[in-house]
């Protein structure tokens, strides 16, 4: 086996994992699988692309690469603003769509359908604005550095891995150590009791959208940096995201990232041993396997 | 005299607008009182207190907490105004530790007041203090009820409302819970309680009201209710029969 | 009216009716049973490919070429799609309603993948051509060919409709509705909701597979790009516009939405220059997505009311207690 599989798998897996964290939080706290979550990834990437172009145009030198990476501080700034914009987008979709169903106490499956419709609209809107031609943050080419053990990675890839690790630790600490996280766990177990405990449930829901969208944007920027930016980039990630969230156990942040890494490694293995064209089937195979063997997931509590 | 702690006028609530379960209740609870709500199954007892606490939609009438209107407010807003409600079941977070349950309940307080408030509750319920790191889901039925009460008292509410705190507990635990409630009442806390366990409850409360078909039918002191000749007829069937056991 | 116009009308209506069949299948799953299928495209594709492989003549580099009669293809398509639906149902319906949605979505991605990459069976991106068409010997006369096919497909719609109407009123249909309304009561009667749901999901899958086969034979060629998630959106829009739970509504909704779809497509072709047509087409998809959400939002009385009774139990939501 080519050890490079490990690096490829970890990189693909960290993007899936970051996206899956948002998905799993929405799933456990708002209690529906959000088919429009992939769109947050794509919109996040496009926000960052437009902003970084804008910043580059206004401030010369913002696009100049910070060695050894391929991108300049303009993209870093653009990503931070894009995270905010993606969060606003998620809040807006919630305000015009999901919140209304919540107020009506609609059954979950109606909300799932609505998220399905929203994903179509949001994705096609991206295609309308940016066309389906792929976009890139940077045209710089990077040389992969040897890491030992026959593995190589570009500085950008290592940066993505490090950033993922940082974000995961941040979210995990937020959830386990802070009052906000405690309130989120409470709403996830029982929203109506949370209100009686004094938790402002609407505020918790807003926090979940902001957090999920910001992480999705980060995943989108990474994917755009390492691969490319396309309107379908989020939709194509959706099945791996679901597989990772269910594999990790819905509601579990460590589960989502571990699930993401497993799916990513599985995809890398499939590319090496079966053929790159079958890569997209790995997530489905993992999904079916976990539903057969352990539907509550690796870190899930009994439903 | 100051405003009553709870006051409702023609209060209407339920799950569907065209099918209200609570149908025009006028009720008053004065400061420091200890009152129980009785009634046959389906009379609307639970729905009434849930609607007061903001968990069940209110469709009509008015409700006041210390003179402030609370009809239609969200549960967390009603809690902030001084009413702590303990539901009958699922009244603690089983996936959080005991300490985390109390921390969550203390969150509305300013940061410096949170620690002392939690400590006060742990002092009051030493059973909980001994295992505060454990998941609340591992507690026994009686201990869960104590945690639920502790969490509700933590914010020093002006009124404590409980929905059938004795349901599902053994007779020994029922009397434990009731004596705890009596002690709390003795410290001056106003308590409103929904109970099926009529005879046991009448021994601790000062006043009882009886709901039938979503309306208030009787309102009398515990003594008067205990000796009322027609009372048994109001607590239908199984409920009446089970009283002997309690 | 000119014969060309009539022939086009027949073609249009035949296509619309094939969608009506898919819609009837979805109505068994969603309208009668409350099961959410996000992978309609996959079940249609399976029916189309199975029938095509069974009926096409020998082709170089591709397994198949059995050259069987079209009717055998239809049955085979329906059967294979039913098998897939059964497996998916068996895997997920015992778990949670939302897992069915996610898994059917996965099925649609995977079937698309197989259609693209299993070149030896499916022809890969180029698909399968020379699928025998019913009344192929009439092909010289566009009008006669069109009308004959329209009659055939209309007959299939009618028969499917009548069978489903009978089923709805049969004891089976009544129990299905009963578990939709109140799972616990149905269980008390000794009915296993799980098996009934799997049966309904399988039946719906079979109907979708049949529709896929009919479509494939009517058009004469298939390719993976015909089975993108778009179909799933369209069919959902059809059922919701028509009114879920109602078989006549399903047929009507299919014709209506298909008409709007075809019309808007022609409008785009006529008004936009060739360069920006792809863009305009994506705007059309935005509208269909928004329309799906809007219908769900603004017509709670029709669809949602019916659905709401379905599922406090069925979907694991707690019924509010009215204990005292």
């Amino acid at each position: 086996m080519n050890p490079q599989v490990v690096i490829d798998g970890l990189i693909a897996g960290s993007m899936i994992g970051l996206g899956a964290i948002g998905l799993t939080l929405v799933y456990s706290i708002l209690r529906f699988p959000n088919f429009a979550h992939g769109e947050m990834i794509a919109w996040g990437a496009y926000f960052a692309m437009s902003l970084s172009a804008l910043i580059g145009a206004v401030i010369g030198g913002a696009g100049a690469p910070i060695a050894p990476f391929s991108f300049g501080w303009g993209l870093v700034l653009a990503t931070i603003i894009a995270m905010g914009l993606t969060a606003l987008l998620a809040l807006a979709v919630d305000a015009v769509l999901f919140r209304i169903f919540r107020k009506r106490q609609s059954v979950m499956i109606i909300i799932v359908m609505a998220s399905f419709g929203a994903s179509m609209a949001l994705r096609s809107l991206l295609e309308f604005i940016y066309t389906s031609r792929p976009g890139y943050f940077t045209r710089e080419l990077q040389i992969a550095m040897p890491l030992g053990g026959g593995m190589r990675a570009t500085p950008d890839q290592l940066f993505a891995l490090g950033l993922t690790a940082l974000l995961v630790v941040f979210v995990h600490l937020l959830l386990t150590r802070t009052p906000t996280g405690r309130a989120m766990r409470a709403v996830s177990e029982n929203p109506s009791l949370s209100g009686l405990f004094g938790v402002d449930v609407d505020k918790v829901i807003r926090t979940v959208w902001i957090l999920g969208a910001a992480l999705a944007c980060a995943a989108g920027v990474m994917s755009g940096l390492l691969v490319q930016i396309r309107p379908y980039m989020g939709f194509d990630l959706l099945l791996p995201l679901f597989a990772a969230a269910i594999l990790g156990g819905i509601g579990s942040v460590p589960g989502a990232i571990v699930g993401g890494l497993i799916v990513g490694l599985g995809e890398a293995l499939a590319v090496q041993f079966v053929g790159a064209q079958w890569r997209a089937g790995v997530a489905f195979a993992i999904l079916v396997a976990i539903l057969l063997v352990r539907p509550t997931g690796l870190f899930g509590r009994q439903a | 005299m100051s405003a009553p702690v709870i006051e409702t006028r023609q209060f209407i609530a339920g799950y569907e607008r065209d099918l209200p379960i609570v149908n025009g209740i006028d009720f008053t609870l004065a400061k420091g009182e200890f009152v129980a709500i009785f009634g046959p199954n389906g009379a609307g007892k639970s729905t009434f207190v849930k609607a007061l606490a903001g968990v069940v939609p209110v469709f009509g009438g008015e409700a006041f907490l210390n003179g402030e209107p609370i009809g239609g407010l969200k549960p967390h807003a009603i809690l902030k105004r001084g009413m702590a409600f303990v539901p009958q079941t699922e009244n603690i977070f089983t996936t959080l530790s005991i300490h985390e349950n109390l921390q969550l309940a203390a969150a509305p307080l300013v940061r410096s007041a949170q620690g002392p408030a939690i400590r006060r509750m742990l002092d009051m319920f030493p059973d909980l203090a001994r295992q505060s790191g454990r998941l609340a889901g591992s507690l026994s039925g009686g201990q869960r009820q104590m945690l639920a009460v502790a969490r509700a008292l933590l914010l020093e509410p002006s009124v404590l409302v409980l929905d059938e705190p004795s349901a599902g507990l053994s007779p020994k635990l029922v009397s434990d819970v009731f004596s705890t409630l009596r002690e709390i009442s003795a410290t001056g806390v106003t308590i409103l309680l929904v109970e099926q366990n009529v005879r046991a409850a009448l021994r601790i409360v000062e006043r009882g009201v009886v709901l039938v078909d979503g309306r208030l039918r009787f309102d009398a002191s515990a003594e008067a209710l205990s000796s009322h000749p027609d009372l048994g007829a109001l607590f239908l069937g199984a409920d009446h029969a089970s009283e002997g056991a309690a | 009216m000119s014969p060309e116009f009539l022939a086009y009308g027949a073609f249009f209506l035949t296509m619309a009716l094939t969608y009506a069949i898919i819609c009837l299948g979805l109505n068994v799953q969603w309208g009668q049973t409350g099961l959410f299928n996000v992978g309609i495209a996959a079940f249609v594709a399976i029916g189309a490919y199975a029938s095509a492989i069974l009926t096409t003549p020998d082709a170089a580099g591709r397994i198949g070429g059995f050259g069987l009669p079209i009717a055998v293809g239809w049955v085979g398509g329906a059967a294979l799609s039913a098998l897939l639906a059964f497996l998916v149902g068996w895997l997920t319906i015992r778990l949670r309603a939302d897992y069915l949605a996610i898994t059917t979505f996965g099925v649609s991605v995977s079937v698309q993948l197989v259609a693209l990459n299993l070149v030896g069976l499916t022809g890969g991106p180029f698909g399968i051509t020379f699928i025998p068409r019913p009344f192929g010997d009439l092909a010289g006369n566009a009008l006669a060919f069109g009308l004959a096919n329209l009659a055939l497909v209309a007959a299939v719609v009618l028969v499917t409709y009548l069978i489903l109407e009978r089923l709805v009123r049969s004891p089976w249909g009544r129990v299905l509705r009963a578990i939709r309304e109140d799972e616990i009561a149905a269980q008390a009667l000794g009915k296993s909701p799980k098996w009934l749901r799997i049966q309904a999901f399988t039946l719906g899958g079979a109907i979708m597979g049949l529709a896929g086969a009919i479509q494939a034979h009517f058009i004469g060629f298939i390719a993976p790009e015909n089975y993108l998630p778009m179909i799933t959106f369209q069919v959902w829009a059809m059922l919701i516009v028509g009114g879920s739970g109602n078989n006549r509504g399903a047929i009507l909704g299919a014709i209506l939405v298909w008409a709007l779809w075809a019309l808007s497509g022609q409008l785009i072709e006529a008004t936009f220059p060739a360069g920006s047509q792809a863009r305009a087409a994506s705007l059309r998809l935005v509208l269909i997505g928004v329309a799906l959400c809007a219908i769900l939002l603004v017509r709670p009385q029709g669809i949602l009311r019916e659905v709401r009774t379905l599922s406090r139990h069925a979907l694991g939501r707690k019924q509010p207690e009215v204990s005292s």
Side-chain angles (χ1 to χ4, degrees), chain A residues 50-82:
Chain A
S50 295
L51 282 166
S52 126
L54 187 72
I55 294 170
V58 174
I59 310 164
I66 313 167
F69 305 117
S70 73
F71 53 86
W73 61 265
L75 180 61
V76 178
L77 182 63
T79 303
I80 292 167
I81 303 172

Side-chain angles (χ1 to χ4, degrees), chain C:
Chain C
M1 269 185 281
S2 70
E4 289 82 21
F5 186 80
L6 274 181
Y8 177 76
F11 170 81
F12 165 81
L13 208 56
T14 311
M15 273 312 280
L17 287 178
T18 59
Y19 278 97
I21 303 173
I22 308 178
C23 222
L24 285 172
L26 183 63
N27 199 24
V28 177
Q29 297 179 338
W30 170 252
Q32 310 295 336
T33 323
L35 299 169
F36 187 44
N37 183 348
V38 193
I40 298 168
F43 296 95
V44 177
I46 290 279
Y49 273 97
S51 189
I53 290 165
L54 287 172
T55 56
T56 42
D58 221 356
R62 189 166 60 72
I63 303 169
F66 298 103
L68 292 167
I70 293 174
V72 176
W74 284 11
V75 173
L80 201 67
S81 185
L83 178 68
L84 178 71
F86 173 78
L87 291 175
V88 171
W90 173 81
L91 178 67
T92 58
I93 288 175
R94 67 204 163 102
L95 301 170
R96 295 164 50 153
D98 40 330
Y99 283 2
L100 177 71
I102 295 168
T103 309
T104 49
F105 174 66
V107 168
S108 75
V109 171
S110 307
V111 166
Q112 179 69 214
L113 206 62
V114 170
L116 268 175
N117 293 317
L118 213 59
V119 180
L121 188 66
T122 63
F126 302 110
I128 299 178
T129 48
F130 300 114
I131 302 169
R133 310 173 74 177
F135 310 108
D137 35 353
L138 290 178
N141 181 342
L143 183 59
F145 175 78
L147 289 176
N149 269 292
L150 176 61
L152 177 65
V153 176
V156 175
V157 172
L158 186 69
V159 169
T160 313
Y161 169 78
L162 290 175
I163 292 176
L164 289 181
E165 283 292 303
R166 256 198 109 97
L167 269 176
V168 167
R169 283 169 182 77
S170 72
W172 184 80
R174 281 202 299 272
V175 176
L176 213 55
R177 266 199 310 286
I179 55 171
R180 203 185 62 173
E181 304 297 333
D182 190 342
E183 175 157 356
I184 294 159
Q187 263 170 335
L189 292 170
K191 308 290 180 188
S192 158
K194 179 189 139 191
W195 275 110
L196 280 160
R197 289 212 184 96
I198 293 175
Q199 285 167 14
F201 194 72
T202 308
L203 176 62
I207 296 172
M208 289 175 189
L210 175 69
I214 292 174
Q215 239 176 27
H217 288 280
F218 176 59
I219 303 169
F221 60 89
I222 53 175
E225 63 175 24
N226 300 348
Y227 306 102
L228 293 174
M230 245 282 294
I231 294 197
T232 303
F233 278 103
Q234 284 172 330
V235 176
W236 270 108
M238 290 168 179
L239 184 64
I240 288 173
V241 165
S244 64
N246 179 339
N247 284 326
R248 255 174 294 185
I251 299 171
L252 196 73
I255 296 173
L256 204 68
V257 170
W258 184 246
L260 282 173
W261 187 255
L263 223 63
S264 62
Q266 301 219 322
L267 207 67
I268 287 173
E269 244 173 76
T271 44
F272 290 86
S276 55
Q277 275 183 15
R279 259 198 160 163
S282 53
L283 200 57
R284 189 164 64 148
L285 298 186
V286 175
L287 291 180
I288 215 180
V290 171
L292 189 63
C293 295
I295 295 171
L296 288 172
L297 278 175
V298 301
R299 271 200 51 193
Q301 66 285 4
I303 324 151
L304 296 189
R305 176 61 62 89
E306 213 232 352
V307 168
R308 201 177 151 164
T309 52
L310 151 181
S311 40
R312 279 182 189 137
H313 296 300
L315 303 169
R317 268 282 142 101
K318 269 166 253 149
Q319 178 101 11
E321 295 163 57
V322 195
S323 61
S324 66

Side-chain angles (χ1 to χ4, degrees), chain B residues 32-158:
Chain B
E33 266 197 304
F34 190 1
V35 173
I37 303 176
F38 303 118
N41 280 323
K45 308 184 293 286
S46 279
T47 309
F48 178 51
V49 288
K50 282 179 188 164
L52 283 178
V55 206
V56 163
V58 175
F59 297 131
E62 292 168 298
F64 300 93
L65 180 62
N66 298 313
E68 256 189 289
I70 52 164
L73 288 185
K74 297 220 164 107
H76 71 92
I78 294 174
L79 176 74
K80 215 179 215 169
R81 285 166 175 72
M83 181 196 299
F85 175 64
V86 179
Q88 179 183 345
T89 54
E90 298 185 25
N91 48 24
I92 52 165
F93 290 100
T94 54
T95 56
L96 269 54
S97 75
I98 293 163
H99 197 247
E100 282 180 319
N101 267 278
L102 295 174
Q103 281 180 310
L104 185 70
L109 297 172
V110 293
R111 201 166 279 263
S112 59
Q114 293 179 2
I118 294 172
R119 232 164 294 133
R120 196 163 49 83
M121 284 306 122
L122 291 176
D123 289 345
M124 195 164 162
F125 298 93
D127 246 15
L128 299 177
R130 270 192 291 278
Q131 38 189 342
S132 72
R134 287 176 62 190
L135 282 188
S138 67
L139 292 175
S140 70
Q143 290 170 327
R144 282 180 187 218
Q145 213 57 269
M146 292 303 172
L147 177 57
V149 171
R151 159 260 129 178
L153 285 176
L154 193 139
L155 295 181
E156 301 188 44
S158 52

